[in-house]
Amino acid sequence: MVTGRFAPSPTGRMHLGNVFSALLSWLSAKSQGGRWLLRIEDIDPQRSRQAYADLLMDDLQWLGLDWDGEPVYQSRRTDIYEHYFQLLCQQGLTYPCYCTRADLLATQAPHESDGRVVYPGTCRHRPLQPNRPAAIRLQVPNRIITFTDGHYGLQSVNLAEQVGDFVIRRKDGAWAYQLAVVVDDALMGITQVVRGRDLLLSSPQQLYIAQLLNFPLPHFIHLPLLCNAAGQRLSKRDQSLDMACLRQRCTASELIGMLAHLAGLQPSPAPVTPQELIAHFSWDKVPCENITA
């Protein structure tokens, strides 16, 4: 059985882009007779709030996007992450990193206009400094990770050249996204991961961790991003498009209808429920280019 998931971070109110991702993830799983699970990624203790988690669950139910089973909270799974973190450490592939954000930015070449920094392994051979806080990085090989994305096709990424050694535990002790999401997806039985294309480069990192931990590999399907008129990806800063405003301006079926139209699932933004869209869903209808909302 296909098992999909929606994994929002409760750091603010959901916005239109979040809902777009949730809708397509839900439809992808349900159109195949599968399950759709909810995971609250409240792994960042400084930014996550239970009040936002409560709001996003209320918003999902208002939209008609019901999940299967009980929500899973990452904040309650610390011992699980610790266990698999230790398994990676035992393989001799982790090391402490003392680099500051300024250090990392100093390594960025001028041509890296997307803001991404490929970590050059600065701390890989540095001596231990026991009394100094450190992030923990996972060493990557000079290896190409290849996978077929369900929407964007064949992807090939050289971990060393395009990613670099990446953090699996932050300097403040919090678990990094890349480790937690791999562990959770495997233990929750997730077979299909649907999310925005901005996370496309995270997939080879997560596949690498999954291979090291002998986890089954999920099928990735990335979707286009909703952008504002300036071409910028929608974020929680776009308060005019967050769920608080949207619920005042339209009904649930009107909002779903608009998103279904943007996704190419119906010719007009006519009101519709998620349940009514199941029979019409196909990834072939969804555009690959980002969409102006």
Side-chain angles (χ1 to χ4, degrees), residues 91-133:
Q91 296 184 45
L93 296 174
T94 59
Y95 62 88
C97 174
Y98 306 101
C99 292
T100 64
R101 182 170 180 81
D103 294 333
L104 297 177
L105 291 175
T107 68
Q108 184 173 343
H111 65 275
E112 291 171 349
S113 57
D114 60 0
R116 177 173 48 87
V117 176
V118 177
Y119 186 69
T122 306
C123 289
R124 190 183 288 186
H125 304 295
R126 277 186 177 178
L128 292 177
Q129 302 177 43
N131 296 321
R132 186 177 176 187

Side-chain angles (χ1 to χ4, degrees), residues 201-255:
L201 195 60
S202 287
S203 300
Q205 299 173 58
Q206 292 165 14
L207 290 171
Y208 176 56
I209 294 177
Q211 290 168 1
L212 291 176
L213 295 174
N214 294 315
F215 284 152
L217 306 180
H219 179 52
F220 291 107
I221 307 176
H222 290 81
L223 49 89
L225 304 178
L226 290 191
C227 298
N228 59 26
Q232 300 168 324
R233 176 172 64 93
L234 296 185
S235 71
K236 292 173 181 175
R237 292 186 297 272
D238 296 294
Q239 294 185 355
S240 64
L241 294 176
D242 75 12
M243 285 299 294
C245 293
L246 292 170
R247 287 179 67 161
Q248 293 178 350
R249 290 161 45 191
C250 57
T251 66
S253 59
E254 288 172 339
L255 181 54

Side-chain angles (χ1 to χ4, degrees), residues 37-206:
L37 308 184
L38 177 63
R39 182 169 71 234
I40 306 298
E41 297 200 335
D42 56 345
I43 202 166
D44 187 336
Q46 297 178 353
R47 300 175 61 221
S48 299
R49 300 289 183 271
Q50 181 61 47
Y52 287 131
D54 295 338
L55 282 171
L56 72 87
M57 286 187 280
D58 183 70
D59 287 336
L60 289 174
Q61 291 176 328
W62 180 78
L63 290 162
L65 299 175
D66 293 325
W67 57 91
D68 297 292
E70 294 296 321
V72 171
Y73 286 81
Q74 286 189 329
S75 59
R76 303 171 187 175
R77 297 168 67 81
T78 298
D79 291 345
I80 296 174
Y81 304 139
E82 178 67 35
H83 170 74
Y84 288 101
F85 171 74
Q86 291 300 331
L87 291 181
L88 292 175
C89 291
Q90 290 167 16
Q91 296 184 45
L93 296 174
T94 59
Y95 62 88
C97 174
Y98 306 101
C99 292
T100 64
R101 182 170 180 81
D103 294 333
L104 297 177
L105 291 175
T107 68
Q108 184 173 343
H111 65 275
E112 291 171 349
S113 57
D114 60 0
R116 177 173 48 87
V117 176
V118 177
Y119 186 69
T122 306
C123 289
R124 190 183 288 186
H125 304 295
R126 277 186 177 178
L128 292 177
Q129 302 177 43
N131 296 321
R132 186 177 176 187
I136 303 298
R137 289 187 181 270
L138 182 66
Q139 185 173 324
V140 302
N142 186 13
R143 180 195 305 169
I144 294 177
I145 297 286
T146 301
F147 66 98
T148 301
D149 183 79
H151 196 47
Y152 291 99
L154 185 65
Q155 306 290 317
S156 295
V157 173
N158 185 299
L159 288 174
E161 294 179 0
Q162 295 172 259
V163 177
D165 301 343
F166 56 90
V167 173
I168 56 174
R169 192 175 70 189
R170 296 184 346 193
K171 189 175 293 187
D172 62 3
W175 298 107
Y177 168 77
Q178 304 295 10
L179 175 63
V181 72
V182 171
V183 171
D184 287 338
D185 283 345
L187 299 188
M188 292 172 66
I190 302 301
T191 64
Q192 183 183 93
V193 174
V194 176
R195 59 191 183 189
R197 66 185 293 187
D198 55 321
L199 291 172
L200 195 56
L201 195 60
S202 287
S203 300
Q205 299 173 58
Q206 292 165 14

